Amino acid sequence: MHPITTFSAQIVALPVENIDTDQIVPARYLKTTNKVGLGDAAFADWRWNSDGTPKPDFVLNRPDVQNAQILVAGNNFGCGSSREHAPWALTGAGFKAVISTFFGDIFRSNALKNGLLPIVVDEDTLYQLFSLFEEDPATVVTIDLPNQQLVLPGGQRVGFPLDPFAKHCLINGVDQMGFLLHEDSMIAAYEARHPARVQTV
Amino acid sequence: MPIPRTLFEKIWDSHTVRPQTEATPAVLYIDLHLIHEVTSPQAFTELRARGIAARRPSQTLATMDHSTPTTPRNNLGVIPVIDAQGAAQLAQLEQNCQDFGIPLFKLGSENQGIVHVIGPEQGLTQPGMTIVCGDSHTSTHGAFGALAFGIGTSEVAHVLATQCLLQSKPKTMEIRVDGQLGRGVTAKDIILAIIAKIGVGGGTGYVFEYTGEAIRALSMEQRMTICNMSIEGGARAGLIAPDETTIAYIKGRPRAPQGQAWDEAVAYWQSLPSDHGATYDATVVLNANELRPMITYGTNPGMGIPIDGRVPTVAQMPDASQRLGLEKSLKYMGLEQGQPLLGQKINMVFVGSCTNSRISDLREAAALIKGQQVAPGVRMMVVPGSQQVKRQAEAEGLHEIFRAAGAEWREAGCSACLAMNGDMVPSGEYCVSTSNRNFEGRQGPGSRTFLASPITAVASAINGVVADPREMLN
Ligand code: SF4
């Protein structure tokens, strides 16, 4: 994973509550056996007509948001299924961060493993971002990861929580698999103390 | 005196390979890893890229369920997979299992079925274990007092490679259901009522433990229905303490401990229930006596009402975003605010999914539909959760009851629960479904889902409209 520190990007607002993973990527796109090419599947049922033409009134189809890399979404983003295809689709569609008041647990964990930042803000900040976008769709914000701050256009800084380990992994590009593999001797010691509880073969 | 601990804490403590610190999450050992075709291919790719083997194939089990067809077999016993991408995914799983030495219940085998139905059926799901699967409804296994939760594909790779996961300790929420259920009110109605009360995000960050008289009175299959939908309340896992019901269910199953190992296991299981005086981070209380059959009207499982209630009005919503949410849902569902759902015309009924496709669900459904007919113009699909459930149902003649009523009797799999395999609800049509998600497009693009219990589904199938099962139970 590439290290992430501070970046600025245009926002796009999707002020819908409880956006579930079936909206982020519908099940029929889950037949793939790799991670690439899911960008067009992001929000597919909101974005495309059944003949594949874009729905003009869906915000992500607007010409002026095509470079947006930060999605600002209503409360509780990413509830539902465990499909990691959801962050794969969002990063495939060019997003680097999603801002909401809270996230589904599995989505948040999956996003962090794919360099997609789930940024938690309070409701006031969320509504402020929605209005900023409404007033000026070209609004750019900065995400300062080392300081855990969101920098709004006027320079206002809003802190966001991030668990220290996730932060460490993001900033240093640490891969969690490598981290776990490194624990091999402790795992072996655990296994020696605890015989397997079940056998599947 | 040792500090009193909850069931969750006991399982967490006994699986900690390395405790959580301020800088790092805990390394948690996983006893059983379940795999299916949809969320695993990229994990195996990762292992191959790093040149590592599966650490414990004998603690891993794979099945085919999500993209498998449920159409009847041809006369050679083969189920044709029509869709090339789905077929490729199934072939990939078979190859991966072969290469990594993982046992697989493949399509056509006698044990194949929905991943959360087969674990308990085989006796693999046992109290005190940690169980994961790349599927959010892994919470189902919590009915046995196992800490079971869904993981993403990166984590599937972690478990394959190390049999461990990096996890931060979640908070605990006790959900106590006092009292007794009335006639026609089922486990599905309990969980729909809980989610309607706390909302789809209410359990985020928590593990639920369901307690109380009404929970203790449930069978294992009913407990699975409840734990299955913990994730719809935002909780990754839901637990029910093991008791005599749990032990009786596991006894004699193919992978259950035997002989002396059985006695030791039972003694351990009996030590697991939360200690007297153990505390939870939050508590929610419901009274089963007050519950009625539940049904959802909207596009998330928290949008549920008693079946004889009315869809809420926009004015009743506490804030602007919920008003918008309700408007958006009702527009999608083609419903009016304030309307009753009883009498609402339906097009389909789906009895199946890991929530309600076990033998007891099918028995209840069959008992109600026996001698009746599915209303003209309504399509009813009955999809058993596993081949074993299917065989049992056929041995009891349930399939003949369904067929005589005009319902379809199909092969085991996820089917119209997520509509990946061709089984779907046509755009704009209404389906009363015993599954767990009514999200937009969940049962196919444009599909409109009313979540309910198997008996509510059957009552609705017979009437051709949303109907109250209590009126049909004599
Ligand atoms: S039946 Fe539905 S919810 Fe259950 S595992 Fe299959 S797709 Fe998921």
Side-chain angles (χ1 to χ4, degrees):
Chain A
M1 211 166 68
H2 299 297
I4 303 171
T5 52
T6 297
F7 65 94
S8 302
Q10 188 185 344
I11 59 170
V12 57
L14 196 51
V16 179
E17 277 201 335
N18 303 319
I19 296 178
D20 58 77
T21 50
D22 278 80
Q23 307 321 309
I24 302 170
V25 56
R28 60 185 182 280
Y29 296 97
L30 309 188
K31 291 177 189 167
T32 175
T33 50
N34 56 46
K35 303 178 184 180
V36 294
L38 280 165
D40 282 348
F43 302 108
D45 288 342
W46 290 349
R47 214 158 133 214
W48 315 111
N49 291 307
S50 47
D51 62 1
T53 55
K55 294 185 178 175
D57 53 349
F58 183 58
V59 63
L60 292 190
N61 287 331
R62 278 167 39 175
D64 58 347
V65 304
Q66 294 309 306
N67 294 321
Q69 293 181 327
I70 299 174
L71 181 69
V72 187
N75 300 330
N76 190 25
F77 185 84
C79 57
S81 120
S82 67
R83 59 189 70 166
E84 201 159 320
H85 309 70
W88 297 335
L90 291 170
T91 54
F95 290 107
K96 291 174 154 182
V98 185
I99 302 177
S100 183
T101 52
F102 66 104
F103 292 87
D105 282 331
I106 312 180
F107 174 82
R108 187 174 42 81
S109 155
N110 285 339
L112 287 166
K113 290 184 182 62
N114 289 277
L116 178 72
L117 300 181
I119 306 282
V120 174
V121 296
D122 57 36
E123 243 177 61
D124 288 346
T125 308
L126 190 73
Y127 281 103
Q128 196 179 345
L129 288 162
F130 288 156
S131 356
L132 281 168
F133 176 74
E134 210 164 291
E135 285 155 23
D136 179 8
T139 297
V140 168
V141 304
T142 299
I143 292 175
D144 174 351
L145 194 60
N147 290 309
Q148 293 179 228
Q149 284 176 332
L150 180 69
V151 191
L152 301 183
Q156 182 196 350
R157 288 177 168 263
V158 185
F160 58 82
L162 188 62
D163 110 85
F165 182 69
K167 180 173 170 179
H168 167 76
C169 292
L170 290 166
I171 292 181
N172 300 296
V174 173
D175 111 72
Q176 298 194 7
M177 172 73 104
F179 186 93
L180 271 171
L181 286 167
H182 201 71
E183 300 288 324
D184 185 66
S185 58
M186 287 196 80
I187 301 171
Y190 180 92
E191 284 175 334
R193 289 196 309 275
H194 301 85
R197 288 165 199 257
V198 284
Q199 288 287 335
T200 57
V201 285
Chain B
M1 270 278 286
I3 302 168
R5 291 182 299 167
T6 61
L7 167 61
F8 164 77
E9 286 164 332
K10 292 179 191 183
I11 303 175
W12 179 271
D13 291 349
S14 63
H15 288 81
T16 307
V17 172
R18 212 180 87 163
Q20 185 166 342
T21 66
E22 271 185 21
T24 51
V27 176
L28 196 70
Y29 195 78
I30 302 304
D31 292 317
L32 175 66
H33 185 195
L34 301 169
I35 285 181
H36 64 81
E37 71 274 24
V38 176
T39 56
S40 67
Q42 298 86 348
F44 286 105
T45 305
E46 171 94 14
L47 260 65
R48 284 198 179 90
R50 292 174 183 258
I52 37 188
R55 186 180 181 95
R56 288 287 177 125
S58 60
Q59 284 168 247
T60 314
L61 176 68
T63 186
M64 296 176 171
D65 54 4
H66 282 63
S67 50
T68 57
T70 60
T71 39
R73 297 171 187 204
N74 68 17
N75 46 20
L76 297 171
V78 179
I79 313 170
V81 183
I82 349 150
D83 144 43
Q85 250 194 321
Q89 202 169 49
L90 296 172
Q92 183 73 56
L93 180 65
E94 195 168 350
Q95 185 68 52
N96 288 337
C97 287
Q98 211 168 55
D99 292 354
F100 289 84
I102 293 167
L104 167 68
F105 291 169
K106 65 180 201 174
L107 198 55
S109 83
E110 60 171 11
N111 290 321
Q112 176 265 340
I114 304 175
V115 64
H116 311 308
V117 176
I118 62 170
E121 198 167 82
Q122 292 296 317
L124 284 167
T125 302
Q126 296 169 20
M129 286 173 57
T130 48
I131 302 176
V132 297
C133 172
D135 190 283
S136 59
H137 292 99
T138 308
S139 58
T140 311
H141 307 260
F144 291 79
L147 178 61
F149 53 92
I151 56 177
T153 298
S154 297
E155 291 177 319
V156 171
H158 295 174
V159 179
L160 282 171
T162 68
Q163 206 60 30
C164 286
L165 279 176
L166 289 165
Q167 291 289 302
S168 302
K169 196 173 181 176
K171 292 179 286 185
T172 54
M173 185 185 290
E174 178 186 23
I175 300 188
R176 200 178 78 219
V177 190
D178 297 326
Q180 287 172 350
L181 289 176
R183 245 160 44 96
V185 189
T186 68
K188 182 65 164 285
D189 303 303
I190 295 182
I191 188 64
L192 285 173
I194 290 169
I195 303 164
K197 185 179 171 103
I198 65 171
V200 286
T204 305
Y206 289 93
V207 163
F208 292 156
E209 182 180 340
Y210 302 96
T211 65
E213 185 191 355
I215 300 293
R216 293 263 74 88
L218 298 174
S219 71
M220 284 319 295
E221 305 204 334
Q222 293 165 330
R223 293 179 189 184
M224 285 189 252
T225 298
I226 300 222
C227 288
N228 173 273
M229 290 189 73
S230 303
I231 182 71
E232 309 315 332
R236 277 180 88 170
L239 292 162
I240 294 177
D243 58 11
E244 291 308 316
T245 307
T246 321
I247 294 166
Y249 180 96
I250 299 170
K251 192 167 179 134
R253 295 198 174 255
R255 304 285 173 181
Q258 284 174 6
Q260 196 194 334
W262 169 260
D263 296 335
E264 286 167 13
V266 169
Y268 171 58
W269 298 343
Q270 286 169 337
S271 75
L272 288 167
S274 295
D275 298 327
H276 186 71
T279 54
Y280 302 86
D281 297 299
T283 299
V284 168
V285 182
L286 262 81
N287 187 339
N289 298 73
E290 291 165 7
L291 296 181
R292 289 173 273 168
M294 295 287 293
I295 190 159
T296 62
Y297 58 86
T299 53
N300 73 50
M303 301 172 101
I305 50 173
I307 193 148
D308 48 3
R310 287 174 178 271
V311 173
T313 61
V314 174
Q316 285 169 335
M317 294 290 115
D319 63 49
S321 64
Q322 289 191 45
R323 284 194 280 278
L324 271 176
L326 179 62
E327 277 170 0
K328 186 172 184 296
S329 275
L330 293 184
K331 183 164 174 238
Y332 180 85
M333 292 295 291
L335 298 174
E336 300 295 328
Q337 51 172 322
Q339 78 162 81
L341 282 186
L342 281 179
Q344 169 70 38
K345 175 137 183 42
I346 60 165
N347 311 90
M348 265 186 79
V349 168
F350 172 62
V351 176
S353 91
C354 57
T355 317
N356 282 120
S357 64
R358 286 169 288 264
I359 189 69
S360 57
D361 299 310
L362 303 188
R363 284 179 188 140
E364 281 176 28
L368 195 57
I369 210 168
K370 190 172 185 176
Q372 307 265 12
Q373 285 294 310
V374 173
V378 173
R379 177 184 183 197
M380 176 168 167
M381 291 171 71
V382 184
V383 183
S386 70
Q387 291 299 333
Q388 192 171 311
V389 170
K390 181 166 184 270
R391 276 193 303 278
Q392 178 66 32
E394 288 178 354
E396 296 175 20
L398 305 186
H399 64 311
E400 296 299 352
I401 297 175
F402 290 121
R403 283 191 182 135
E408 295 169 34
W409 176 248
R410 300 177 72 101
E411 292 291 329
C414 296
S415 182
C417 172
L418 93 166
M420 262 189 92
N421 71 336
D423 300 348
M424 59 169 84
V425 178
S427 185
E429 293 197 356
Y430 292 97
C431 178
V432 179
S433 177
T434 67
S435 56
N436 43 51
R437 287 187 175 142
N438 50 353
F439 296 149
E440 286 185 30
R442 172 75 179 188
Q443 296 195 288
S447 58
R448 292 162 164 172
T449 304
F450 298 125
L451 298 176
S453 72
I455 54 173
T456 299
V458 168
S460 304
I462 296 167
N463 289 286
V465 295
V466 171
D468 190 335
R470 292 173 299 183
E471 288 175 10
M472 304 190 64
L473 294 169
N474 289 311

